[in-house]
Short mmCIF file of all heavy atoms in Angstrom, two decimals:
data_model
loop_
_atom_site.label_atom_id
_atom_site.label_comp_id
_atom_site.label_asym_id
_atom_site.label_seq_id
_atom_site.Cartn_x
_atom_site.Cartn_y
_atom_site.Cartn_z
N ALA A 14 2.40 4.88 19.81
CA ALA A 14 3.33 5.90 19.37
C ALA A 14 2.93 6.39 18.00
O ALA A 14 2.35 5.64 17.21
CB ALA A 14 4.77 5.37 19.34
N SER A 15 3.23 7.63 17.71
CA SER A 15 2.93 8.20 16.41
C SER A 15 4.05 9.12 15.97
O SER A 15 4.75 9.71 16.80
CB SER A 15 1.60 8.96 16.43
OG SER A 15 1.67 10.09 17.27
N ILE A 16 4.19 9.24 14.66
CA ILE A 16 5.18 10.15 14.10
C ILE A 16 4.60 10.73 12.82
O ILE A 16 4.05 10.01 11.99
CB ILE A 16 6.53 9.44 13.86
CG1 ILE A 16 7.58 10.44 13.36
CG2 ILE A 16 6.38 8.26 12.90
CD1 ILE A 16 9.00 9.87 13.38
N THR A 17 4.71 12.04 12.67
CA THR A 17 4.21 12.71 11.48
C THR A 17 5.32 12.86 10.47
O THR A 17 6.50 12.62 10.75
CB THR A 17 3.64 14.09 11.82
OG1 THR A 17 4.72 14.96 12.19
CG2 THR A 17 2.64 14.00 12.97
N SER A 18 4.94 13.27 9.26
CA SER A 18 5.94 13.51 8.23
C SER A 18 6.90 14.62 8.61
O SER A 18 8.03 14.65 8.13
CB SER A 18 5.25 13.84 6.91
OG SER A 18 4.45 15.00 7.03
N GLY A 19 6.46 15.51 9.49
CA GLY A 19 7.31 16.58 9.97
C GLY A 19 8.18 16.21 11.15
O GLY A 19 8.97 17.03 11.62
N GLY A 20 8.03 14.99 11.64
CA GLY A 20 8.88 14.52 12.71
C GLY A 20 8.32 14.67 14.10
O GLY A 20 9.02 14.39 15.08
N SER A 21 7.08 15.11 14.22
CA SER A 21 6.47 15.22 15.54
C SER A 21 6.15 13.84 16.07
O SER A 21 5.55 13.01 15.38
CB SER A 21 5.20 16.06 15.46
OG SER A 21 4.58 16.17 16.72
N ILE A 22 6.53 13.58 17.30
CA ILE A 22 6.41 12.25 17.90
C ILE A 22 5.64 12.34 19.20
O ILE A 22 5.84 13.25 20.00
CB ILE A 22 7.80 11.64 18.15
CG1 ILE A 22 8.53 11.40 16.82
CG2 ILE A 22 7.69 10.36 18.95
CD1 ILE A 22 9.96 10.96 16.99
N ASP A 23 4.78 11.38 19.40
CA ASP A 23 4.05 11.24 20.66
C ASP A 23 4.07 9.78 21.09
O ASP A 23 4.04 8.88 20.26
CB ASP A 23 2.60 11.71 20.52
CG ASP A 23 2.48 13.21 20.40
OD1 ASP A 23 2.88 13.90 21.35
OD2 ASP A 23 1.99 13.69 19.36
N TYR A 24 4.12 9.58 22.40
CA TYR A 24 4.11 8.25 22.98
C TYR A 24 3.05 8.14 24.05
O TYR A 24 2.73 9.13 24.73
CB TYR A 24 5.45 7.90 23.63
CG TYR A 24 6.63 7.83 22.71
CD1 TYR A 24 7.52 8.88 22.61
CD2 TYR A 24 6.86 6.69 21.94
CE1 TYR A 24 8.61 8.82 21.76
CE2 TYR A 24 7.95 6.62 21.09
CZ TYR A 24 8.82 7.68 21.00
OH TYR A 24 9.91 7.61 20.17
N ALA A 25 2.52 6.96 24.19
CA ALA A 25 1.69 6.69 25.34
C ALA A 25 2.55 6.75 26.60
O ALA A 25 3.73 6.39 26.58
CB ALA A 25 1.03 5.31 25.22
N GLU A 26 1.95 7.20 27.70
CA GLU A 26 2.70 7.33 28.93
C GLU A 26 3.31 6.00 29.37
O GLU A 26 4.41 5.98 29.93
CB GLU A 26 1.81 7.88 30.04
CG GLU A 26 1.51 9.37 29.93
CD GLU A 26 2.74 10.22 30.14
OE1 GLU A 26 3.62 9.83 30.92
OE2 GLU A 26 2.82 11.30 29.52
N SER A 27 2.64 4.93 29.10
CA SER A 27 3.10 3.63 29.55
C SER A 27 4.37 3.14 28.86
O SER A 27 5.02 2.22 29.35
CB SER A 27 1.99 2.59 29.37
OG SER A 27 1.62 2.48 28.00
N VAL A 28 4.72 3.76 27.73
CA VAL A 28 5.90 3.30 26.98
C VAL A 28 6.99 4.34 26.89
O VAL A 28 8.07 4.05 26.34
CB VAL A 28 5.51 2.83 25.56
CG1 VAL A 28 4.42 1.78 25.63
CG2 VAL A 28 5.10 4.00 24.69
N LYS A 29 6.76 5.53 27.41
CA LYS A 29 7.77 6.57 27.36
C LYS A 29 9.06 6.11 28.04
O LYS A 29 9.03 5.54 29.12
CB LYS A 29 7.27 7.85 28.01
CG LYS A 29 6.27 8.63 27.17
CD LYS A 29 5.87 9.93 27.85
CE LYS A 29 4.93 10.73 26.97
NZ LYS A 29 4.49 11.99 27.64
N GLY A 30 10.16 6.39 27.39
CA GLY A 30 11.45 5.99 27.91
C GLY A 30 11.86 4.58 27.55
O GLY A 30 13.02 4.21 27.75
N ARG A 31 10.93 3.80 27.02
CA ARG A 31 11.23 2.42 26.66
C ARG A 31 11.10 2.16 25.17
O ARG A 31 11.86 1.37 24.61
CB ARG A 31 10.31 1.45 27.41
CG ARG A 31 10.43 1.53 28.92
CD ARG A 31 9.64 0.41 29.59
NE ARG A 31 8.20 0.52 29.33
CZ ARG A 31 7.48 -0.41 28.72
NH1 ARG A 31 8.06 -1.54 28.31
NH2 ARG A 31 6.18 -0.24 28.54
N PHE A 32 10.14 2.81 24.53
CA PHE A 32 9.89 2.60 23.10
C PHE A 32 10.36 3.81 22.31
O PHE A 32 10.29 4.95 22.78
CB PHE A 32 8.40 2.40 22.83
CG PHE A 32 7.82 1.11 23.34
CD1 PHE A 32 8.54 0.26 24.17
CD2 PHE A 32 6.53 0.75 22.98
CE1 PHE A 32 7.99 -0.92 24.64
CE2 PHE A 32 5.97 -0.43 23.43
CZ PHE A 32 6.71 -1.26 24.27
N THR A 33 10.80 3.56 21.08
CA THR A 33 11.21 4.62 20.18
C THR A 33 10.62 4.37 18.80
O THR A 33 10.81 3.29 18.23
CB THR A 33 12.74 4.70 20.06
OG1 THR A 33 13.31 4.91 21.36
CG2 THR A 33 13.14 5.86 19.16
N ILE A 34 9.91 5.36 18.29
CA ILE A 34 9.35 5.27 16.95
C ILE A 34 10.22 6.07 16.00
O ILE A 34 10.74 7.13 16.35
CB ILE A 34 7.88 5.76 16.91
CG1 ILE A 34 7.23 5.45 15.56
CG2 ILE A 34 7.80 7.24 17.24
CD1 ILE A 34 5.73 5.72 15.54
N SER A 35 10.39 5.58 14.79
CA SER A 35 11.21 6.27 13.81
C SER A 35 10.73 5.94 12.41
O SER A 35 10.07 4.92 12.19
CB SER A 35 12.69 5.91 13.96
OG SER A 35 12.90 4.52 13.77
N ARG A 36 11.05 6.82 11.47
CA ARG A 36 10.72 6.62 10.07
C ARG A 36 11.97 6.17 9.32
O ARG A 36 13.08 6.61 9.62
CB ARG A 36 10.20 7.91 9.44
CG ARG A 36 8.90 8.44 10.05
CD ARG A 36 7.70 7.65 9.56
NE ARG A 36 7.42 7.87 8.14
CZ ARG A 36 6.63 8.83 7.67
NH1 ARG A 36 6.02 9.68 8.51
NH2 ARG A 36 6.41 8.94 6.37
N GLY A 37 11.76 5.31 8.34
CA GLY A 37 12.86 4.88 7.51
C GLY A 37 13.19 5.91 6.45
O GLY A 37 12.45 6.87 6.22
N ASN A 38 14.32 5.70 5.78
CA ASN A 38 14.75 6.63 4.74
C ASN A 38 13.76 6.73 3.59
O ASN A 38 13.63 7.78 2.97
CB ASN A 38 16.12 6.23 4.21
CG ASN A 38 17.23 6.44 5.22
OD1 ASN A 38 17.11 7.27 6.12
ND2 ASN A 38 18.30 5.69 5.07
N ALA A 39 13.07 5.65 3.31
CA ALA A 39 12.09 5.64 2.23
C ALA A 39 10.82 6.40 2.58
O ALA A 39 10.00 6.64 1.71
CB ALA A 39 11.74 4.20 1.86
N ARG A 40 10.66 6.75 3.82
CA ARG A 40 9.53 7.53 4.34
C ARG A 40 8.21 6.77 4.31
O ARG A 40 7.20 7.29 4.77
CB ARG A 40 9.38 8.85 3.60
CG ARG A 40 10.66 9.68 3.53
CD ARG A 40 11.27 9.91 4.90
NE ARG A 40 10.42 10.75 5.74
CZ ARG A 40 10.62 10.95 7.04
NH1 ARG A 40 11.62 10.35 7.66
NH2 ARG A 40 9.79 11.75 7.71
N ASN A 41 8.21 5.57 3.77
CA ASN A 41 7.02 4.75 3.81
C ASN A 41 7.20 3.57 4.76
O ASN A 41 6.45 2.59 4.68
CB ASN A 41 6.62 4.27 2.42
CG ASN A 41 7.66 3.35 1.81
OD1 ASN A 41 8.81 3.31 2.24
ND2 ASN A 41 7.26 2.61 0.78
N THR A 42 8.17 3.67 5.61
CA THR A 42 8.41 2.66 6.62
C THR A 42 8.44 3.30 7.99
O THR A 42 8.80 4.47 8.14
CB THR A 42 9.73 1.90 6.38
OG1 THR A 42 10.82 2.84 6.36
CG2 THR A 42 9.69 1.16 5.06
N VAL A 43 8.07 2.54 8.98
CA VAL A 43 8.11 3.01 10.35
C VAL A 43 8.57 1.86 11.23
O VAL A 43 8.24 0.70 10.96
CB VAL A 43 6.73 3.56 10.80
CG1 VAL A 43 5.68 2.47 10.80
CG2 VAL A 43 6.84 4.22 12.17
N TYR A 44 9.33 2.20 12.25
CA TYR A 44 9.86 1.20 13.16
C TYR A 44 9.44 1.53 14.58
O TYR A 44 9.20 2.68 14.93
CB TYR A 44 11.39 1.17 13.08
CG TYR A 44 11.92 0.95 11.69
CD1 TYR A 44 12.31 2.02 10.90
CD2 TYR A 44 12.02 -0.33 11.15
CE1 TYR A 44 12.79 1.83 9.61
CE2 TYR A 44 12.49 -0.53 9.87
CZ TYR A 44 12.88 0.54 9.11
OH TYR A 44 13.35 0.34 7.84
N LEU A 45 9.37 0.51 15.37
CA LEU A 45 9.13 0.68 16.79
C LEU A 45 10.14 -0.17 17.55
O LEU A 45 10.03 -1.40 17.56
CB LEU A 45 7.70 0.28 17.18
CG LEU A 45 7.31 0.57 18.62
CD1 LEU A 45 7.25 2.08 18.87
CD2 LEU A 45 5.97 -0.07 18.97
N GLN A 46 11.12 0.50 18.12
CA GLN A 46 12.10 -0.18 18.96
C GLN A 46 11.54 -0.27 20.36
O GLN A 46 11.25 0.75 20.99
CB GLN A 46 13.43 0.58 18.96
CG GLN A 46 14.49 -0.04 19.84
CD GLN A 46 14.96 -1.38 19.35
OE1 GLN A 46 15.20 -1.55 18.16
NE2 GLN A 46 15.07 -2.35 20.24
N MET A 47 11.38 -1.47 20.85
CA MET A 47 10.77 -1.70 22.15
C MET A 47 11.81 -2.32 23.07
O MET A 47 12.25 -3.45 22.86
CB MET A 47 9.55 -2.62 22.03
CG MET A 47 8.51 -2.12 21.05
SD MET A 47 7.01 -3.15 21.03
CE MET A 47 7.69 -4.68 20.40
N ASN A 48 12.21 -1.56 24.07
CA ASN A 48 13.18 -2.01 25.05
C ASN A 48 12.51 -2.20 26.40
O ASN A 48 11.44 -1.67 26.67
CB ASN A 48 14.32 -1.00 25.18
CG ASN A 48 15.11 -0.81 23.90
OD1 ASN A 48 15.26 -1.75 23.12
ND2 ASN A 48 15.63 0.39 23.70
N SER A 49 13.18 -2.94 27.26
CA SER A 49 12.69 -3.17 28.62
C SER A 49 11.24 -3.63 28.61
O SER A 49 10.40 -3.11 29.36
CB SER A 49 12.86 -1.90 29.46
OG SER A 49 14.20 -1.50 29.51
N LEU A 50 10.96 -4.59 27.78
CA LEU A 50 9.58 -5.04 27.63
C LEU A 50 9.04 -5.65 28.92
O LEU A 50 9.76 -6.31 29.67
CB LEU A 50 9.48 -6.05 26.49
CG LEU A 50 9.51 -5.42 25.10
CD1 LEU A 50 9.84 -6.46 24.04
CD2 LEU A 50 8.17 -4.75 24.79
N LYS A 51 7.77 -5.39 29.15
CA LYS A 51 7.06 -5.86 30.33
C LYS A 51 5.93 -6.79 29.91
O LYS A 51 5.43 -6.69 28.79
CB LYS A 51 6.49 -4.68 31.12
CG LYS A 51 7.51 -3.64 31.53
CD LYS A 51 6.82 -2.46 32.20
CE LYS A 51 7.81 -1.40 32.62
NZ LYS A 51 7.12 -0.23 33.26
#
């Protein structure tokens, strides 16, 4: 998964619908929420 400073997000097909990438308020942090792990 990737996220730009402008908020553009892309995911690998294998994780779409399960993973969520986000930036923290400090803008120097990034999170990856991984649900329904396989």
